[in-house]
């Protein structure tokens, strides 16, 4: 006779292998039924030791033999037929007859092996649940209720009615697989578990895997003695049986200890699966051992199907209701963004900007300028947050309802920013949108201290992990968290921010276009001015040249006479002509220099410029009883300092030159900020200018007076205009003959750097 061996997994569960404890191959079963494994020829390759408790046969009598030896020929044929036509989704359980008794038999395949799990009917017959009534009740309930919570309560109550367990709980997992008792039906005299939370370590990863593969699990009695599954020793030394799909499968000793610590004797667990993930469990507890028959288990499983079929529908419906609200706000904001140039201020003045994500505050950073609404952190905190986001978030967006878990420093401003949705509006956080949510402190009721869910214990075998002994209410207060962001809220934020980003980009393009348009206009006017050089040669330069040539010719002709008077006169005119040409050439060179100055734009102290001007011209003005008054000029200006100094020097020189002999000279320099430019005025109470010449005088060589009246080249104001043009500003004049002149100059606060 062949030697037999058991296949019990004998390795110890210790601290190192707890998570990998191979519970799918325990090699033992619970005793409320027995197990047979068959090869394809119906020979028995596995047999649980307890077969003799149910049939008049010992394992060694049947191992290696054909199963037909156990039954009548007719029963063997029925079994063969059942196995051959077996469909795991369709076939009902097989009723196995043995010497006048009936057994319920479940079949599944494990590798090459056909596994039969055979249980007696507890009361000797096969009680069939009233599935029709169960369905009808469920459908009518479904029509009445919308709420997922209500539905779960109903399922808990119904499942308890069907199965008779002391307690039925609907367990719901969060994203980390911590479970919460979401609904409960229980015996009146036991304490409620509703609202309690269980840490994810209570159901380790491999147990969750099994819940996904095998949707129902019965543990009839935690105090059971495991029954070894036996096989023939000579078959294959490493032979083992994967029992993942087995219903009788033995239970992990850790789980048994856990249930014992809870005081529970029997359990039934049904997996609730949504989108191929474990959404939750229907967990039934009994405080004394309880075996429920196969068909009752199926009825309970049906409740699980009812519920999972509705979870997605209810959750989607809830989300849909939220989306509809949010979309209304989003539409309003999108319209503003697409229609208004000043849309940032406009969307911030609408409540929709907060409602679109149900946030408490919002920040829009545009080119480093902060615009806010509602509850937002202090400026320094925002700076730090933006800095962190810039360094740590490479994606376009980031959101969290527990910001401080990512960015520790955020705990210091958790009051306003426990939760954020961030979206960049460009490449850097200098352009971004952030919605903020305030802190919502909450208390989680854990069933026992979650940090001590598994504890190290020392027993005669050494160290091992053991589940906690105490399930006493353990309150944890959770800080630094806001309400969770829901999917429609995050989606709306992303859609709006993307739109804002595009719109800002378009506006920017428009602005750039405008700048280039202005630049090209300036180029055109520069060309026009260049053209006005043409008549330099024809008039201004020719006039003194003619003078020189007349007097030198005369000089040549008259030289013999050596008329001293004539000689002096001619040489005076020649010198005068040469000096005027010299001045003209110098002025022209200077004019030309303005456009070619390579000095870069800088921010400089305007005060320094006027201090120098005052020190040069002050004494001369005061000598004649006049005054130079510098009023509200900006401290700093962006531009080419030497040119700006020349601009004001020319204007003040003119004011001095064209002063009125009738009154002491008054020069006032003032400035005022308007939008994005400075408007300067330089006013005097001199001889004034007639309105009709107001434009002409800015052209090269344009003068209103003769050389005899006032010296000059007619280039001073042309140079001024060129300097102002170069700085993208404007210059014009308001003059009043015999009263005075006021020159207006605008200079942009931030001029565009020349190409
Ligand atoms: P210039 O002073 O060399 O003649 P400008 O281009 O500086 O040339 O000035 C052009 C003309 O504008 C002057 O000849 C003068 O007639 C007139 N003008 C300039 N500034 C003043 C002023 N502050 N008051 C009166 N007239 C002025």
């Amino acid at each position: 006779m062949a030697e037999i061996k058991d296949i019990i997994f004998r390795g110890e569960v210790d601290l190192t292998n707890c998570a990998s404890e191979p519970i799918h191959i325990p090699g033992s079963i619970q005793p409320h039924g027995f197990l047979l494994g068959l090869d394809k020829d119906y020979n028995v390759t596995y047999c649980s030791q307890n077969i003799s408790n149910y049939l008049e046969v010992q394992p060694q009598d049947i191992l290696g033999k054909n199963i037909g030896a156990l039954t009548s020929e007719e029963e063997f044929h029925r079994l063969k037929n059942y196995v051959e036509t077996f469909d795991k989704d369709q076939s009902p359980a097989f009723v196995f007859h043995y010497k006048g008794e009936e057994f319920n038999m479940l079949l599944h395949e494990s590798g090459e092996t056909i596994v039969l799990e055979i249980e007696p009917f507890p009361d000797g017959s096969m009680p069939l649940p009233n599935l029709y009534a169960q369905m009808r009740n469920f459908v009518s309930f479904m029509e009445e209720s919308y709420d997922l919570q209500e539905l779960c309560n109903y399922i808990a109550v119904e499942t308890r009615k069907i199965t008779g367990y002391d307690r039925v709980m609907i367990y719901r997992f969060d994203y980390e697989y911590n479970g919460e008792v979401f609904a409960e039906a229980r015996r009146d005299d036991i304490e409620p578990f509703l609202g309690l939370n269980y840490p994810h370590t209570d159901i380790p990863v491999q147990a969750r895997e099994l819940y996904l593969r095998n949707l129902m699990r019965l543990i009839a009695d935690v105090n059971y003695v495991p029954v070894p599954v036996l096989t023939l020793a000579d078959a294959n030394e490493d032979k083992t049986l994967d029992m993942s799909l087995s219903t009788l499968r033995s239970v992990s000793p850790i789980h048994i200890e856990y249930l014992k610590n809870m005081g529970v004797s029997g359990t039934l667990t049904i997996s609730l699966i949504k989108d191929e993930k474990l959404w939750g469990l229907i967990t039934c507890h009994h405080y004394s051992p309880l075996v429920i028959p196969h068909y009752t288990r199926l009825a309970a499983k049906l409740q699980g199907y009812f519920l999972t079929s509705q979870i997605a529908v209810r959750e989607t419906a809830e989300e849909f209701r939220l989306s509809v609200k949010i979309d209304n706000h989003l539409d309003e904001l999108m319209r503003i963004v697409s229609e208004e140039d000043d849309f940032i201020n406009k969307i911030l003045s609408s409540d929709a900007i907060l409602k679109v994500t149900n946030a408490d505050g919002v920040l829009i950073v545009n080119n480093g300028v902060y615009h806010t609404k509602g509850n937002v952190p202090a400026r320094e905190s925002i700076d730090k947050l933006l800095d962190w986001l810039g360094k740590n978030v490479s994606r376009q967006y980031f959101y969290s309802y527990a910001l401080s878990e990512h960015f520790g420093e955020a705990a210091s401003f958790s009051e306003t920013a426990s939760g954020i949705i961030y979206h960049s509006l460009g490449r850097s956080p200098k352009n971004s949108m952030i919605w903020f949510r305030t802190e919502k402190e909450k208390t989680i009721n854990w069933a026992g201290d979650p940090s001590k869910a598994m504890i190290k214990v020392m027993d005669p075998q050494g160290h091992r992990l053991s589940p906690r002994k105490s399930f006493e209410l353990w309150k944890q207060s959770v800080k630094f968290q806001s309400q969770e962001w829901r999917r429609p809220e995050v989606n709306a934020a992303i859609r709006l921010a993307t739109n804002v980003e595009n719109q800002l980009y378009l506006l920017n393009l428009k602005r750039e276009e405008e700048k280039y348009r202005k630049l090209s206009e300036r180029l055109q006017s520069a060309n026009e001015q260049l053209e006005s050089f043409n008549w330099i040669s024809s008039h201004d330069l020719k006039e003194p040249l003619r003078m020189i040539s007349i007097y030198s010719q005369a000089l040549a002709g008259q030289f013999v006479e050596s008329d001293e008077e004539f000689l002096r006169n001619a040489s005076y005119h020649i010198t005068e002509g040469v000096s005027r040409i010299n001045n003209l050439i110098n002025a022209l060179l200077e004019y030309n220099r303005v456009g070619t100055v390579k000095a870069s734009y800088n921010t400089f102290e305007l005060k320094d410029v006027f201090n120098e001007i005052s020190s040069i011209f002050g004494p001369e003005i005061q000598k004649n009883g006049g005054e130079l008054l510098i009023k509200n000029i900006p401290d700093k200006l962006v531009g080419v300092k030497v040119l700006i100094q020349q601009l004001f020097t020319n204007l003040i020189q003119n004011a001095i030159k064209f002063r009125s002999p009738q009154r002491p000279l008054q020069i006032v320099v003032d400035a005022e900020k308007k939008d994005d430019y400075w408007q300067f005025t330089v006013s005097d109470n001199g001889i004034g200018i007639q309105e009709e010449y107001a434009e002409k005088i800015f052209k090269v060589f344009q003068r209103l007076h003769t050389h005899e009246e006032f010296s000059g080249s007619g280039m001073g104001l042309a140079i001024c205009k060129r300097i102002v043009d170069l700085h993208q500003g404007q210059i014009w004049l308001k003059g009043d003959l015999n009263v005075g002149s006021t020159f207006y100059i605008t200079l942009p606060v931030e001029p565009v750097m020349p190409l």
Side-chain angles (χ1 to χ4, degrees):
M1 198 184 98
E3 200 190 327
I4 60 170
K5 67 163 191 173
D6 69 52
I7 54 165
I8 296 178
F9 174 72
R10 293 190 185 285
E12 282 298 324
V13 176
D14 61 26
L15 286 176
T16 54
N17 71 2
C18 170
S20 58
E21 186 195 353
I23 54 177
H24 61 294
I25 45 167
S28 64
I29 57 168
Q30 300 177 63
H32 60 271
F34 65 100
L35 178 144
L36 290 170
L38 310 179
D39 67 13
K40 59 181 187 331
D41 299 321
Y42 297 87
N43 293 323
V44 177
T45 47
Y46 295 95
C47 174
S48 63
Q49 198 175 45
N50 62 346
I51 187 167
S52 55
N53 295 354
Y54 298 98
L55 311 184
E56 289 165 13
V57 65
Q58 295 295 330
Q60 55 270 38
D61 300 336
I62 189 70
L63 269 169
K65 304 232 172 66
N66 196 283
I67 193 167
L70 278 181
T71 61
S72 67
E73 197 150 323
E74 191 197 341
E75 188 67 2
F76 180 54
H77 276 297
R78 244 177 29 88
L79 178 66
K80 262 172 77 172
N81 189 39
Y82 178 77
V83 172
E84 275 156 23
T85 58
F86 181 73
D87 174 337
K88 70 177 170 39
D89 298 317
Q90 300 291 330
S91 302
F94 183 77
V95 178
F96 178 68
H97 296 89
Y98 182 83
K99 301 201 171 161
E101 264 187 77
E102 288 184 333
F103 292 86
N104 188 71
M105 193 188 91
L106 298 176
L107 181 155
H108 73 270
E109 283 171 79
S110 172
E112 302 274 272
T113 309
I114 299 160
V115 180
L116 307 176
E117 295 180 277
I118 306 158
E119 293 171 58
F121 292 112
D123 52 4
S125 69
M126 178 173 47
L128 283 177
N130 188 344
L131 292 182
Y132 171 72
Q134 201 185 330
M135 296 277 269
R136 192 195 49 211
N137 288 349
F138 176 72
V139 171
S140 72
F141 181 81
M142 229 173 47
E143 283 170 355
E144 287 163 24
S145 87
Y146 275 113
D147 191 29
L148 184 61
Q149 172 88 58
E150 245 183 292
L151 186 71
C152 287
N153 283 340
Y154 168 85
I155 296 288
V157 170
E158 286 299 292
T159 310
R160 183 159 179 259
K161 251 192 237 163
I162 294 164
T163 59
Y165 277 90
D166 290 335
R167 183 195 305 277
V168 176
M169 296 174 281
I170 312 287
Y171 219 68
R172 174 182 172 161
F173 295 118
D174 68 11
Y175 66 101
E176 279 183 315
Y177 288 102
N178 297 310
E180 183 199 353
V181 180
F182 188 58
E184 179 184 48
R186 61 184 165 85
R187 233 171 54 198
D188 290 341
D189 58 325
I190 55 177
E191 59 165 328
F193 285 176
L194 188 66
L196 282 183
N197 289 263
Y198 293 81
H200 60 94
T201 42
D202 282 6
I203 304 175
V205 189
Q206 78 279 26
R208 285 204 300 269
E209 281 301 310
L210 281 175
Y211 280 130
L212 277 175
R213 293 181 62 189
N214 197 344
L215 301 185
M216 190 162 59
R217 179 79 172 124
L218 177 89
I219 300 169
D221 178 6
V222 295
N223 292 309
Y224 77 101
V225 178
V227 179
V229 174
L230 309 174
T231 188
L232 289 173
D234 58 7
N236 182 343
E237 275 308 309
D238 299 327
K239 196 154 71 172
T240 183
L241 185 63
D242 181 337
M243 295 177 75
S244 305
L245 298 179
S246 155
T247 34
L248 290 173
R249 171 164 49 89
S250 207
V251 187
S252 143
I254 290 184
H255 189 55
I256 288 289
E257 200 178 345
Y258 176 83
L259 293 174
K260 281 183 180 169
N261 290 350
M262 275 186 120
V264 171
S265 295
T267 67
L268 175 73
T269 313
I270 295 156
S271 315
L272 300 172
I273 292 170
K274 184 195 160 199
D275 300 333
E276 294 171 16
K277 282 207 201 87
L278 203 58
W279 180 91
L281 298 169
I282 301 180
T283 302
C284 310
H285 282 176
H286 210 61
Y287 292 91
S288 53
L290 181 64
V291 185
I292 58 163
H294 171 71
Y295 282 100
T296 312
R297 291 194 312 245
L298 279 193
K301 197 170 167 185
L302 191 60
Q303 291 294 326
Y305 281 128
F306 284 162
L307 182 51
T308 43
S309 72
Q310 290 301 302
I311 291 169
V313 178
R314 304 285 151 136
E315 285 187 344
T316 315
E318 258 169 49
E319 214 170 272
F320 178 72
R321 281 196 291 273
L322 177 67
S323 298
V324 169
K325 268 198 211 154
I326 282 181
D327 281 354
N328 284 336
H329 300 308
L330 188 62
D331 285 350
E332 180 188 332
L333 296 168
M334 294 285 217
R335 207 182 46 244
I336 299 175
V337 171
S338 63
E339 286 173 8
E340 309 268 353
D341 271 6
D342 178 27
F343 66 84
I344 292 186
N345 286 325
K346 290 265 164 51
I347 54 175
L348 284 174
S349 66
S350 161
D351 282 345
I353 190 72
L354 296 178
K355 288 186 179 154
V356 77
T357 59
N358 290 305
D360 301 302
V362 66
L363 162 78
I364 302 178
V365 190
N366 186 19
N367 289 328
V369 181
Y370 294 7
H371 308 262
T372 65
K373 184 186 182 78
N375 254 341
V376 300
R379 187 161 178 124
E380 317 78 82
S381 306
I382 293 181
D383 289 342
K384 280 185 200 157
L385 176 61
L386 287 174
D387 188 49
W388 180 83
L389 287 165
K391 289 182 183 138
N392 295 282
V393 176
S394 51
R395 287 206 312 175
Q396 276 254 296
Y397 65 92
F398 164 84
Y399 64 94
S400 167
Y401 67 95
L403 177 62
S404 65
E405 279 175 25
H406 306 270
F407 172 42
E409 261 189 76
S412 66
F413 51 93
S414 64
E415 260 166 53
T416 44
S418 282
I420 65 162
I421 304 180
Y422 154 82
H423 200 292
S424 82
L425 301 176
R427 284 162 308 278
S428 81
K430 274 191 124 197
N431 292 292
S432 54
M433 273 180 102
I434 305 181
W435 282 268
F436 296 98
R437 267 190 189 167
T438 54
E439 184 171 17
K440 280 263 162 351
E441 275 193 55
K442 62 179 174 198
T443 305
I444 300 184
N445 294 322
W446 292 102
D449 179 351
S451 66
K452 301 195 181 97
M454 294 298 279
I455 48 173
K456 247 193 246 180
V457 295
M458 180 73 174
D459 59 17
Q461 288 87 45
H463 283 292
R464 64 181 183 89
L465 272 186
S466 167
R468 61 192 177 284
K469 301 269 182 292
S470 164
F471 287 84
E472 193 123 310
L473 182 62
W474 198 93
K475 281 183 183 284
Q476 182 193 12
S477 90
V478 179
K479 284 179 69 67
F480 309 135
Q481 289 191 1
S482 73
Q483 198 97 350
E484 277 180 51
W485 299 102
R486 286 164 295 179
R487 204 166 43 180
E489 294 162 341
V490 175
N491 287 347
I494 292 172
R495 281 178 58 200
L496 181 63
T498 310
N499 217 284
V500 167
E501 181 181 353
N502 291 342
Q503 207 59 26
L504 282 177
Y505 181 71
L506 280 180
L507 284 181
N508 221 12
L509 271 189
K510 256 202 212 163
R511 236 175 274 134
E512 290 289 306
E513 247 176 46
E514 179 75 358
K515 265 186 213 163
Y516 285 113
R517 199 178 53 76
K518 280 195 180 148
L519 271 179
S520 80
E521 272 175 11
R522 280 220 315 279
L523 204 66
Q524 206 180 337
S525 86
N527 282 338
E528 279 166 14
Q529 289 197 22
L530 220 56
E531 277 164 21
S532 62
F533 272 86
N534 292 341
W535 66 274
I536 298 170
S537 48
S538 62
H539 178 266
D540 284 75
L541 283 179
K542 269 185 194 158
E543 194 258 341
L545 273 178
R546 218 184 57 224
M547 184 161 86
I548 295 170
S549 106
I550 290 170
Y551 282 98
S552 20
Q553 275 170 21
L555 204 57
Q558 304 289 328
F559 190 56
V560 242
E561 287 175 31
S562 38
D563 178 338
E564 207 176 315
E565 173 63 29
F566 173 76
L567 215 92
R568 210 177 291 121
N569 191 21
S571 83
Y572 166 78
H573 280 105
I574 291 172
T575 321
E576 169 71 10
V578 168
S579 129
R580 264 161 58 193
I581 290 185
N582 216 17
N583 284 345
L584 284 175
I585 290 173
N586 282 343
L588 267 175
L589 284 177
E590 202 173 318
Y591 180 83
N592 214 35
R593 197 172 65 97
V594 172
T596 56
V597 158
K598 284 280 185 296
S600 54
Y601 278 36
N602 273 320
T603 306
F604 61 87
E605 300 282 338
L606 192 62
K607 273 200 316 284
D608 295 351
V609 169
F610 279 98
N611 285 343
E612 209 170 323
I613 290 177
S614 302
S615 71
I616 296 172
F617 299 106
E620 189 189 340
I621 297 169
Q622 282 153 17
K623 201 172 69 191
N624 296 314
E627 79 174 324
L628 170 61
L629 202 66
I630 313 292
K631 286 174 101 177
N632 303 312
I633 56 155
D635 292 341
K636 288 177 196 306
L637 203 65
V638 183
V640 185
K641 186 179 172 187
V642 284
L643 295 183
I644 298 289
Q645 178 151 350
Q646 184 170 6
L647 164 70
F648 287 108
T649 304
N650 284 4
L651 293 175
I652 286 165
Q653 257 175 336
N654 276 354
I656 297 172
K657 183 160 51 165
F658 300 106
R659 67 175 175 267
S660 163
Q662 280 136 30
R663 49 191 176 259
L665 176 60
Q666 273 270 351
I667 307 174
V668 181
V669 182
D670 202 356
E672 188 184 349
K673 191 166 176 203
K674 301 199 163 188
D675 297 334
D676 54 353
Y677 62 87
W678 290 103
Q679 179 171 299
F680 290 86
T681 48
V682 178
S683 336
D684 64 48
N685 58 348
I687 61 168
I689 302 175
Q690 260 171 299
E691 202 67 45
E692 56 192 293
Y693 300 121
E695 270 184 41
K696 189 178 165 205
I697 54 166
F698 292 104
K699 299 222 158 101
V700 274
F701 297 131
Q702 292 293 342
R703 337 195 43 233
L704 303 178
H705 302 93
T706 63
H707 287 289
E708 286 65 39
E709 287 173 296
F710 293 101
S711 65
S713 63
M715 287 298 287
L717 289 178
I719 291 173
C720 287
K721 174 142 174 41
R722 196 134 197 231
I723 293 173
V724 172
D725 277 351
L726 203 80
H727 285 80
Q728 299 129 44
Q730 279 172 331
I731 182 165
W732 70 96
L733 158 88
K734 273 209 183 115
D736 214 343
L737 201 60
N738 296 326
V739 176
S741 320
T742 300
F743 285 86
Y744 291 83
I745 303 110
T746 63
L747 292 172
V749 174
E750 282 181 52
V752 196
M753 305 299 155
L755 297 172

